[in-house]
Amino acid sequence: QKVSVEVLDHLEHLALVDFRDSEGVERLHKAIQFADQLHEVNTDGVEPMDSVLEDRWCLYLREDDVTEGNCTKELLENAREKVEEYFVAPPGNIPLPKLEERETFLQGS
Amino acid sequence: AALNDGLRSQVSAALKEGRVAPTELCQRCLALIKSTKFLNAYITVAEETAMKQAEESEERYKRGQPLGILDGIPVAVKDNFNTAGIETTCASNMLKGYISPYNATVVQKLLDQGAVLLGKTNLDEFAMGSGSTDGVFGPVRNPWSYSKQYKEKSVPKSHSEESNWVITGGSSGGSAAAVSSFTCFAALGSDTGGSTRNPAAHCGVVGLKPTYGLISRHGLIPLVNSMDVPGILTRCVDDAAVLLGSLAGHDPKDSTTIQDDFEPFELPNLTDVSKLSIGIPKEYHAPGLSSEILALWSKAADLFKNAGAKVVEVSLPHTRYSIVCYHVLCTAEVASNMARFDGLEYGHRSDMKDSTESMYAATRREGFNDVVRGRILSGNYFLLKQNYEKYFVKAQKVRRLIANDFVKVFRSGVDILLTPTTLSDAAPYTEFIQEDNRTRSTQDDILTQAANMAGLPAINVPTALSKRGLPVGLQFIGRSFQEKQLLTVAKWFEKQVQFPMIQLEEVKRHDSGVFQHQKSASFS
C-alpha cells in the first residue's frame, strides 16, 4: 500500500524535512514494508519496554537548586543571528504554505 | 617505547621511568597522523592543544606526580562527542563550524587524568551507517588496505591501490582506523547498533560496548537515547579495561547512569576456564555469514571446549526480529533527537527569512544528508497517532521479548555468549557503496544489534586474518554490568589467538621501534 500524498505532506510538515524526490518516498515505503515484519511476532500480554534499566533504576528528581548557569556568552557564540542576549528568529505563526502553494516534489504526485 | 605498546604494561611504565617523554609521544603520533592522512580517519587534529597537554603532562612526570595511568597518553575521540573549544561536526553540514562550549563527561574524564586529546575522528553522518562512508568529509579507509598482509593476498588486477581499498566499517570507523594505524593508544567511539564493534572487527582492534547505564552519555550527541553508549577502542583487552576504569561511574548530568559505585579493576590472567559456561546462540548463524567466519567461530568454540570450559548451544529465538525492532525504535528516537537542529541556537542556518518554519525546513534541508532525512521521515511516520500502537509500541514490546531471551539464557547458567561480530571481512569501498545505507546497516548490524536492545556489554576481539589478509573478529556478550568477567574471558581468548600485528609501510618509516613486539603465531 502506498502512503497517500496527504500523509506525505503531513510528514514533511511534522518533520520539517523534505522527501526531495521519488527516491525519498520509495525509501519510506521500503521502511514501512520492512517494519511490517514486526506483526509476525506475538506480543499478547507483553508490556512495552521503555528502558533496559527499568528494574534497576528509578528516575530520580534532584533538589531544585541552581548548580550551574550564567553562560549566556558561551551559548550565544554558536548562533548565527542574535541581538543582545536574544536569538533572532524570522516571524513565527506563519504556517508553511499548503501543498498547492509550495514548491515541493510532492506536487507532481 | 613503541607506538604499538600496551598502555598498562609498557607505555605507562616507559613514561614513569622517563624512557619516553609525553611530548615525544605526542609528536610521533601527530607526525603519523600527517603521514596517514590518506586514511581520512581524522576530521580535526588539535595539534596545539595536544602539545600543550603533553607539555603539562611532562611537567607532572618530572615532579613525580602523574595523574594516573592515562597521563600523557595520546587519545582520539569520535566527532559526535562535544569537546570544548574544538569543532564538533558529527560529519554533517548541520554542525560544520560548531565549536562546543563544553566537554562531554567522558572527554572531561580523559582530560582530568592527563590524556592528550589528539583530535576528532571521522564517522558516518550523525553516526548513522555501518561503513563510515556517509559523512560530509568523505569515507574512512581501512589501514589494513595498505598492509603487507592484504597486499600480498590481493589479485593485482587493478594497478592502483586507489580502487582496492576496503572500508573500516562503522559508524566509528575513524576511531577504529586511528587506533589500528597506531596514531593513538585508545579512541572513543559510540555504539547504538554495533558502531564500535563493527569497525573494531574490520580494523583488527578491540571494541568494547559497555553496559547501558555504566558510562555517561552527557555530551554525546544522541542518536537513540535508550540504546546509545560511548564505546572504547584499543589495541588490546587490558587497555580497554584501563579506559573503562577511567570512564565508568554515575554522572549526575546523565540521569540514565546507574547510581551504584564503580570499582575500576585490573584483569586477572585466567588460566582455568573449566568453570566457565560459554553459550553459542544458534540464531547467530545468520544468512550471509561467510563460511570463513563460521569456521573461525566453530574453532573458537572448540578452543574453549578443549580448555575445559562448558560450551553449549543456546537459542535466542527473537534474534531475527531485532533488526526490524531496531529500525522502528531507532528512527522514532532519531526523529525526536534531530528536532533540535533548527539553525537558531547553533549549527547551520539557512538564509531563508520568510518564517520560522520555513527557515527550519530550509536549514534542515541544507544541513542533513539523505540518510538522516530518511530516518527522520520514517521515524515520524511510525510516531503518527494512527501508527503509534501499531509500530512504536509494538516494537517496544518486541524489544522486551529480545531482552528476555538473553535473561533466560543467562539464567540457565551460561556466563558468556560467543558469536561472530560481522558477516564477513571488510568489503572494498567500490563494492560497499553499491547498496544503499539502510540496506547495508540492516545486513551489517544483525550480529551486534541485539546487545544494544538488551543493554548488555559486548566486546569484539580480533581473532584471525581472512583469506584476503583482512581482520576478522569474534564477539563476546556478557551479563549486565559484569564487564570484569566479560573482559577476563576476552583477555584469555586474545592470548590464545595471538592476532598478528598489522604491517604498515607508513608506520615502519616513522617508528622503527614498532616491530619490536611482532607476534608471528596466528590463530588461523
Side-chain angles (χ1 to χ4, degrees):
Chain A
Q1 312 105 312
K2 298 245 158 196
V3 178
S4 72
V5 175
E6 285 76 36
V7 173
L8 292 177
D9 183 44
H10 184 45
L11 285 176
E12 283 196 338
H13 269 84
L14 283 176
L16 287 178
V17 147
D18 66 315
F19 282 97
R20 192 140 318 178
D21 50 30
S22 61
E23 217 182 291
V25 177
E26 233 343 85
R27 209 175 283 135
L28 176 67
H29 285 134
K30 284 209 189 101
I32 299 170
Q33 200 180 20
F34 189 63
D36 280 335
Q37 289 174 71
L38 276 180
H39 304 120
E40 293 168 24
V41 189
N42 183 346
T43 53
D44 291 343
V46 181
E47 284 299 301
M49 181 180 240
D50 288 323
S51 167
V52 295
L53 297 177
E54 58 186 13
D55 290 336
R56 274 195 171 249
W57 150 70
C58 309
L59 187 60
Y60 62 97
L61 292 177
R62 61 174 196 154
E63 288 306 309
D64 191 14
D65 293 327
V66 175
T67 53
E68 55 179 353
N70 285 324
C71 49
T72 316
K73 188 164 155 288
E74 286 90 328
L75 292 180
L76 287 173
E77 256 175 49
N78 278 300
R80 221 188 76 169
E81 292 191 37
K82 51 206 170 193
V83 164
E84 292 179 14
E85 293 190 344
Y86 294 88
F87 295 112
V88 179
N93 272 333
I94 300 175
L96 274 182
K98 288 208 189 66
L99 182 56
E100 312 84 64
E101 294 153 16
R102 271 194 294 144
E103 250 183 61
T104 164
F105 145 81
L106 292 178
Q107 270 223 31
S109 15
Chain B
L3 289 182
N4 66 314
D5 283 348
L7 271 180
R8 187 185 289 283
S9 50
Q10 293 143 320
V11 176
S12 211
L15 284 169
K16 253 208 211 127
E17 291 159 24
R19 285 183 277 124
V20 70
T23 49
E24 187 197 333
L25 214 51
C26 183
Q27 263 156 1
R28 278 155 68 180
C29 286
L30 289 172
L32 193 55
I33 292 175
K34 278 207 183 84
S35 66
T36 52
K37 210 160 173 204
F38 54 90
L39 295 176
N40 203 19
Y42 287 81
I43 293 177
T44 303
V45 181
E47 225 176 291
E48 272 178 43
T49 51
M51 278 312 292
K52 189 157 166 290
Q53 286 159 11
E55 280 156 23
E56 287 167 9
S57 171
E58 203 156 304
E59 280 307 303
R60 289 190 293 268
Y61 275 104
K62 283 202 184 115
R63 291 198 306 268
Q65 292 170 335
L67 293 168
I69 211 173
L70 286 179
D71 205 333
I73 301 291
V75 298
V77 166
K78 187 175 182 182
D79 207 17
N80 59 351
F81 285 92
N82 276 287
T83 43
I86 299 175
E87 196 178 358
T88 299
T89 66
C90 294
S92 176
N93 281 318
M94 189 57 92
L95 286 178
K96 252 193 194 164
Y98 166 69
I99 312 278
S100 315
Y102 71 108
N103 281 321
T105 297
V106 289
V107 172
Q108 192 61 56
K109 285 189 170 191
L110 289 176
L111 294 174
D112 285 346
Q113 290 171 59
V116 172
L117 179 58
L118 295 173
K120 311 297 289 297
T121 57
N122 205 350
L123 58 155
D124 283 301
E125 182 161 338
F126 278 110
M128 300 186 201
S130 59
S132 303
T133 51
D134 276 327
V136 292
F137 298 102
V140 185
R141 299 186 180 201
N142 192 327
W144 284 83
S145 312
Y146 303 95
S147 68
K148 187 156 169 239
Q149 291 106 324
Y150 178 63
K151 288 189 200 170
E152 272 172 0
K153 297 290 173 71
S154 55
V155 180
K157 56 180 173 192
S158 53
H159 1 270
S160 73
E161 287 167 351
E162 279 314 292
S163 38
N164 249 352
W165 62 269
V166 298
I167 58 165
T168 50
S171 60
S172 311
S175 283
V179 172
S180 171
S181 59
F182 305 106
T183 60
C184 61
F185 284 84
L188 290 187
S190 65
D191 197 311
T192 306
S195 289
T196 288
R197 292 160 285 155
N198 175 292
H202 287 317
C203 293
V205 297
V206 171
L208 171 62
K209 173 215 168 294
T211 311
Y212 179 87
L214 187 60
I215 300 187
S216 172
R217 291 179 299 111
H218 174 75
L220 166 61
I221 295 171
L223 186 60
V224 182
N225 292 309
S226 69
M227 296 183 213
D228 289 350
V229 292
I232 292 168
L233 293 137
T234 54
R235 287 192 287 274
C236 65
V237 179
D238 266 332
D239 289 355
V242 171
L243 266 290
L244 184 68
S246 42
L247 298 178
H250 178 63
D251 179 15
K253 292 182 183 170
D254 176 0
S255 60
T256 60
T257 52
I258 55 160
Q259 311 248 22
D260 303 9
D261 283 329
F262 176 81
E263 282 300 320
F265 49 79
E266 263 188 58
L267 295 175
N269 279 313
L270 191 64
T271 44
D272 174 22
V273 294
S274 60
K275 305 220 176 51
L276 263 184
S277 172
I278 308 286
I280 310 287
K282 62 181 189 197
E283 291 85 1
Y284 279 65
H285 184 352
L289 185 66
S290 82
S291 50
E292 244 187 332
I293 299 194
L294 182 60
L296 224 54
W297 184 22
S298 186
K299 210 164 166 195
D302 288 342
L303 189 74
F304 278 100
K305 208 180 292 171
N306 295 335
K310 182 167 169 226
V311 178
V312 288
E313 190 190 72
V314 296
S315 176
L316 298 167
H318 295 93
T319 301
R320 65 197 180 96
Y321 294 109
S322 83
I323 276 295
V324 187
C325 185
Y326 175 63
H327 163 73
V328 173
L329 295 179
C330 173
T331 50
E333 292 209 38
V334 160
S336 172
N337 281 321
M338 295 294 128
R340 72 192 66 193
F341 298 105
D342 57 20
L344 265 189
E345 304 95 337
Y346 45 72
H348 174 69
R349 176 174 176 146
S350 165
D351 289 331
M352 165 65 73
K353 285 182 177 25
D354 293 353
S355 68
T356 319
E357 283 209 14
S358 63
M359 186 278 275
Y360 292 167
T363 294
R364 292 156 71 79
R365 187 198 168 103
E366 294 160 17
F368 290 139
N369 75 1
D370 284 347
V371 177
V372 177
R373 286 192 353 268
R375 291 201 195 186
I376 294 172
L377 287 162
S378 301
N380 272 293
Y381 179 82
F382 297 132
L383 291 171
L384 288 176
K385 257 189 271 189
Q386 68 254 37
N387 294 329
Y388 194 80
E389 280 289 328
K390 218 171 96 167
Y391 291 98
F392 183 70
V393 176
K394 179 77 180 180
Q396 286 190 307
K397 292 179 179 177
V398 175
R399 181 175 188 175
R400 182 178 295 284
L401 292 175
I402 294 167
N404 282 347
D405 279 356
F406 284 101
V407 169
K408 284 192 198 116
V409 161
F410 285 128
R411 214 170 264 164
S412 75
V414 165
D415 299 306
I416 305 270
L417 296 169
L418 167 62
T419 81
T421 313
T422 54
L423 294 175
S424 66
D425 57 4
Y429 175 71
T430 46
E431 198 185 291
F432 184 79
I433 51 171
Q434 294 192 19
E435 287 280 3
D436 71 283
N437 183 295
R438 196 186 59 80
T439 312
R440 279 295 178 193
S441 301
T442 313
Q443 295 160 348
D444 301 334
D445 287 347
I446 220 160
L447 302 169
T448 46
Q449 208 298 304
N452 298 87
M453 275 293 168
L456 298 171
I459 187 169
N460 171 76
V461 180
T463 306
L465 294 185
S466 69
K467 284 199 298 285
R468 289 162 67 215
L470 295 172
V472 167
L474 290 177
Q475 173 179 238
F476 293 92
I477 305 174
R479 298 164 190 245
S480 264
F481 301 105
Q482 301 303 311
E483 270 78 354
K484 185 167 182 188
Q485 181 182 53
L486 178 70
L487 290 171
T488 301
V489 174
K491 181 176 168 177
W492 180 87
F493 184 71
E494 174 187 61
K495 195 157 176 213
Q496 304 304 307
V497 302
Q498 296 280 299
F499 182 77
M501 190 184 307
I502 186 175
Q503 291 167 42
L504 274 179
E505 276 308 306
E506 276 311 316
V507 178
K508 208 175 189 173
R509 214 173 292 158
H510 264 271
D511 200 292
S512 53
V514 156
F515 298 108
Q516 276 171 19
H517 309 277
Q518 183 103 311
K519 297 186 181 104
S520 48
S522 61
F523 187 40
S524 66

